Amino acid sequence: MTPTAPAARPPHRVAAGLLDPRQLLTSFPGALRKLDPRRMARQPVMFVVEVGAVLTTLSAVRDPGVFPWVITAWLWLTVVFANLAEAVAEGRGKAQADTLRRTRTQTTARRLADWRPGTGSVREEEVPAAALRPGDHVLVEAGQIIPGDGDVVEGIASVDESAITGESAPVIRESGGDRSAVTGGTKVLSDRIVVVITAKPGETFIDRMIALVEGAARQKTPNEIALNILLAALTIVFLVAVVTLQPFAVYADAEQSIVVLVALVVALIPTTIGALLSAIGIAGMDRLVQRNVLAMSGRAVEAAGDVNTLLLDKTGTITLGSREAAEFLPVTGVGAGELAEAAQLSSLADETPEGRSVVVLAKRQHALRARGEGELARAAFVPFTAQTRMSGVDVEGRRIRKGAAGAVAQWVTDGGGTVPEEVHETVARVSRGGGTPLVVALQDGRGTRVLGVVHLKDVVKEGMRERFGELRRMGIRTVMITGDNPLTAKAIAQEAGVDDFLAEATPEDKMALIKREQAGGKLVAMTGDGTNDAPALAQADVGVAMNTGTSAAKEAGNMVDLDSNPTKLIEIVEIGKQLLITRGALTTFSIANDVSKYFAIIPAMFTTAYPGLDRLNVMRLHSPMSAVTSAIVFNALIIVVLIPLALRGVRYRPSSASALLGRNIGLYGLGGLVLPFVAIKLIDLAVQFVPGLH
């Protein structure tokens, strides 16, 4: 198998940033290529502007003059600027796709013929990776590249996935679990594995990433299609209005030139949002990629913005995923220090996170240090096992055990001791509070007895209550999914601040919950990584699969989190809402700023025939030609000004729908109304000095 070059930086590391001159220059050729009428026809508003630019060009050639050529030039610039917005957004994706392409190498696969689980020797053949088909088994050893997407069916190995995730730390991939999926192009660092190929050539995970990030596979979302239809309808209405306006102008002895009529159409139709709509959608996908989330469709991003219910796994999402020792609860007659020392000694051979946390707590609360190797040279450690459910140590004539209440109670009873009722009450109290009780017992010359209980607590991640509060203000209901018993689940749910919980959850329970929510007209989002999560991920409106999960989970979801961080779901919802807010804000701004252009062009067209219309010239523009020119120049320049906002997105603040509506109307509605009046007046002051535009 051929070696690979060092992994390139992943796509999400490409800087987002604001618009800069270099982006404009590199994207400009792409904007010019988009002037092809066959491509422009997909954007009805800007297609009308392009047709208008062609008409004014012909008019300027037939009847040359400064005014028609200036209007023609700015109409073409309007179309180019609109294409530039989309080209800049796509350019980012292409840069990310080029980075991904550099991670791919032509590899040779070691295909195993007639492979069966556990077989020792099988016929091996070397074939190009492109020749692999779903169902083929390949052998990959340390230092070799995994030739295609698949699942580990034999062995365990450390895999370098930095080419995909950007994380330098290797991950473990093994057969028979939820961490069996491997991605073509990643490198095996140790051991050997047998992989069954699950993807066809050209349809691998990296291939799909390349297609999606460069925009080739981006389909318009339902809301985007609906808005396009609305914009097309408005364009048709204004076209009809302008066409029927000319006969009235002729009747009033104020016949208008084709240049003025086209300028009026361009001023009336919503060119600003028409120019930026596609860029907004592409940028929304781009923001997800920057956060290492691959959305399989724009529909999923949009749905994330409309989510009503969020299903979150407890372990690793709401809590840290490992329980930690919180306090020592000695029985009557036993000092806390004595209990802490015994618990520490019994945990020295316990390599679980819980066992290590007991040692840390003993050191922190009672200044107990870990024993040196010399002091424990004759100690016999008893490691924790799932069968005994205890760990401990035999040292200096003492036998110490720590573990589950039932297991330790049985050990004490077998040793001739008794378990005080006080211990049972403490165990019950800790359990009711959502904790896990570990009983510590000692056997020495005084007999076998219980020293006390160690309270293990499932630690809620810092800041989760505040984040859930933000989601609540957004109108999103959060539900914690856990396999814990209802008492423990309730306690953790109250501490974390989630709205509801589903305890002792099975795959069927998750599916039933999602269907109930959807039956009530709600959109549901959830995360998952195992094969048993696949049905629920497929049923959810937004299903985020972890990259470390199984192929079945990644195929079922409509997003993949390359970092495998379950809390990313909250960020995904925020990005979806930001996309919708940006689209709504710029639509509001676009419609509002059209009003000022009416006040610029309408009086200019008919003031000679109807002097009374001069009262509508509230900006006191210099002349009819300077008024039309100023409106068209502003119409083109505002697109360039708004490109950074379309790409970056309107800043999102968690709030209710009514508050967002009020903010949009106040900031972008009122701002879109006032700004053009000022800008057009300033442009007019400059235009009036241009010869031929007086």
Side-chain angles (χ1 to χ4, degrees):
M1 188 175 292
T2 58
T4 181
R9 291 171 68 82
H12 64 286
R13 303 300 184 207
V14 177
L18 294 178
L19 195 65
D20 61 60
R22 285 178 298 176
Q23 282 182 309
L24 292 175
L25 289 175
T26 56
S27 302
F28 196 77
L32 294 179
R33 288 192 294 270
K34 289 177 180 290
L35 291 174
D36 184 342
R38 292 169 297 182
R39 302 184 67 172
M40 292 299 299
R42 302 172 191 169
Q43 304 178 55
V45 176
M46 299 317 300
F47 181 65
V48 169
V49 178
E50 183 177 46
V51 172
V54 172
L55 292 176
T56 58
T57 302
L58 296 175
S59 178
V61 170
R62 187 176 66 252
D63 187 14
V66 175
F67 176 67
W69 278 117
V70 168
I71 296 298
T72 297
W74 280 100
L75 287 179
W76 280 114
L77 284 175
T78 302
V79 182
V80 171
F81 290 161
N83 290 342
L84 192 62
E86 186 176 45
V88 168
E90 290 178 348
R92 290 181 175 183
K94 285 183 171 63
Q96 294 164 341
D98 289 342
T99 304
L100 274 174
R101 286 191 179 94
R102 288 196 293 271
T103 69
R104 296 192 304 185
T105 57
Q106 293 299 320
T107 59
T108 300
R110 299 167 63 183
R111 184 165 62 186
L112 304 177
D114 302 323
W115 180 86
R116 294 289 184 275
T119 55
S121 60
V122 292
R123 185 165 55 86
E124 180 183 314
E125 56 183 353
E126 291 193 353
V127 299
L132 295 174
R133 294 293 181 268
D136 286 347
H137 291 81
V138 295
L139 175 66
V140 191
E141 295 183 320
Q144 296 178 335
I145 303 300
I146 297 172
D149 292 0
D151 289 317
V152 179
V153 292
E154 183 177 278
I156 180 172
S158 175
V159 179
D160 176 9
E161 293 188 342
S162 59
I164 303 298
T165 65
E167 299 298 331
S168 57
V171 296
I172 301 299
R173 291 289 178 262
E174 58 185 325
S175 62
D178 288 344
R179 297 180 180 272
S180 60
V182 291
T183 305
T186 57
K187 185 177 183 179
V188 173
L189 299 179
S190 67
D191 303 291
R192 64 190 291 279
I193 51 176
V194 175
V195 176
V196 59
I197 300 299
T198 58
K200 298 178 182 178
E203 297 180 7
T204 65
F205 189 70
I206 290 183
D207 289 318
R208 284 188 292 163
M209 284 182 69
I210 291 171
L212 287 164
V213 298
E214 68 182 358
R218 194 187 83 87
Q219 301 296 320
K220 284 185 169 61
T221 63
N223 283 349
E224 196 173 344
I225 292 171
L227 186 53
N228 264 316
I229 293 172
L230 174 62
L231 298 180
L234 289 174
T235 301
I236 293 171
V237 168
F238 289 128
L239 269 174
V240 172
V242 172
V243 169
T244 57
L245 189 64
Q246 183 71 326
F248 291 101
V250 173
Y251 177 78
D253 198 24
E255 183 177 355
Q256 302 298 317
S257 67
I258 190 69
V259 174
V260 173
L261 290 174
V262 169
L264 178 59
V265 170
V266 173
L268 287 173
I269 63 179
T271 51
T272 305
I273 186 61
L276 298 173
L277 187 58
S278 182
I280 293 170
I282 295 172
M285 301 277 284
D286 179 63
R287 282 192 290 275
L288 278 179
V289 173
Q290 291 167 24
R291 286 163 177 80
N292 248 7
V293 177
L294 180 63
M296 299 306 177
S297 70
R299 182 190 295 266
V301 185
E302 207 168 72
D306 285 329
V307 160
N308 307 106
T309 304
L310 215 55
L311 305 187
L312 298 163
D313 275 334
K314 183 205 74 172
T315 305
T317 304
I318 296 174
T319 66
L320 292 175
S322 59
R323 294 164 296 180
E324 294 185 359
E327 60 180 327
F328 296 111
L329 304 170
V331 299
T332 303
V334 176
E338 182 183 356
L339 171 61
E341 182 185 21
Q344 181 203 44
L345 286 171
S346 65
S347 300
L348 293 177
D350 187 353
E351 291 300 323
T352 64
E354 294 86 352
R356 289 194 294 269
S357 74
V358 171
V359 176
V360 172
L361 182 66
K363 179 180 179 181
R364 186 172 68 242
Q365 289 191 351
H366 300 279
L368 295 176
R369 62 180 179 84
R371 302 294 183 95
E373 291 184 8
E375 297 176 87
L376 299 174
R378 297 183 180 181
F381 290 105
V382 180
F384 176 88
T385 66
Q387 289 74 31
T388 63
R389 297 188 297 158
M390 291 189 302
S391 63
V393 62
D394 297 341
V395 59
E396 299 171 353
R398 294 182 298 168
R399 301 178 67 202
I400 305 171
R401 296 293 183 270
K402 175 211 74 196
V408 175
Q410 185 63 48
W411 183 80
V412 171
T413 302
D414 292 344
T418 59
V419 180
E421 186 62 30
E422 177 187 357
V423 173
H424 295 301
E425 293 174 357
T426 302
V427 167
R429 186 175 70 253
V430 170
S431 298
R432 283 196 300 271
T436 300
L438 290 181
V439 177
V440 180
L442 169 67
Q443 187 180 77
D444 57 10
R446 297 167 52 190
T448 305
R449 63 192 185 278
V450 175
L451 299 179
V453 176
V454 180
H455 177 191
L456 292 182
K457 185 178 181 182
D458 208 347
V459 181
V460 174
K461 290 182 178 179
E462 186 178 354
M464 292 306 294
R465 175 174 283 275
E466 290 73 17
R467 298 200 76 171
F468 289 138
E470 292 178 358
L471 292 170
R472 198 172 295 111
R473 288 194 295 275
M474 293 155 48
I476 296 175
R477 175 171 169 263
T478 52
V479 181
M480 182 183 77
I481 307 295
T482 177
D484 289 340
N485 64 71
L487 283 176
T488 301
K490 182 179 180 181
I492 294 174
Q494 289 176 342
E495 182 179 353
V498 296
D499 299 313
D500 202 354
F501 65 90
L502 179 65
E504 298 176 343
T506 64
E508 293 77 15
D509 293 334
K510 296 178 186 179
M511 178 74 83
L513 175 59
I514 293 173
K515 288 183 176 179
R516 281 200 306 272
E517 293 290 320
Q518 291 173 332
K522 298 177 180 177
L523 295 184
V524 181
M526 75 161 288
T527 60
D529 60 0
T531 301
N532 62 341
D533 291 323
L537 286 171
Q539 180 67 35
D541 300 284
V542 179
V544 183
M546 301 295 101
N547 189 47
T548 54
T550 61
S551 297
K554 288 192 278 190
E555 288 295 330
N558 48 25
M559 291 189 188
V560 177
D561 176 18
L562 302 180
D563 291 333
S564 299
N565 176 10
T567 59
K568 195 79 68 68
L569 182 57
I570 299 175
E571 290 184 48
I572 291 170
V573 170
E574 292 175 349
I575 291 171
K577 285 194 173 295
Q578 185 183 36
L579 170 65
L580 297 179
I581 290 168
T582 302
R583 188 183 294 157
L586 292 185
T587 300
T588 303
F589 183 89
S590 177
I591 294 174
N593 74 28
D594 285 342
V595 174
S596 62
K597 290 178 277 185
Y598 306 160
F599 279 93
I601 294 182
I602 298 293
M605 291 176 63
F606 295 103
T607 190
T608 54
Y610 301 103
L613 285 177
D614 190 55
R615 296 176 183 174
L616 295 178
N617 185 14
V618 294
M619 289 177 277
R620 312 315 301 170
L621 301 179
H622 183 68
S623 68
M625 282 190 291
S626 71
V628 173
T629 303
S630 300
I632 295 302
V633 170
F634 169 79
N635 192 64
L637 293 179
I638 194 63
I639 294 173
V640 178
V641 171
L642 291 176
I643 289 177
L645 183 60
L647 298 180
R648 186 187 66 239
V650 173
R651 184 180 178 185
Y652 170 71
R653 296 187 184 93
S655 57
S656 63
S658 58
L660 285 174
L661 179 61
R663 177 170 170 262
N664 269 2
I665 293 175
L667 182 59
Y668 295 97
L670 187 60
L673 196 62
V674 174
L675 176 64
F677 278 90
V678 178
I680 289 175
K681 178 61 179 177
L682 292 175
I683 295 171
D684 178 72
L685 292 175
V687 165
Q688 62 180 297
F689 297 106
V690 178
L693 295 179
H694 296 297

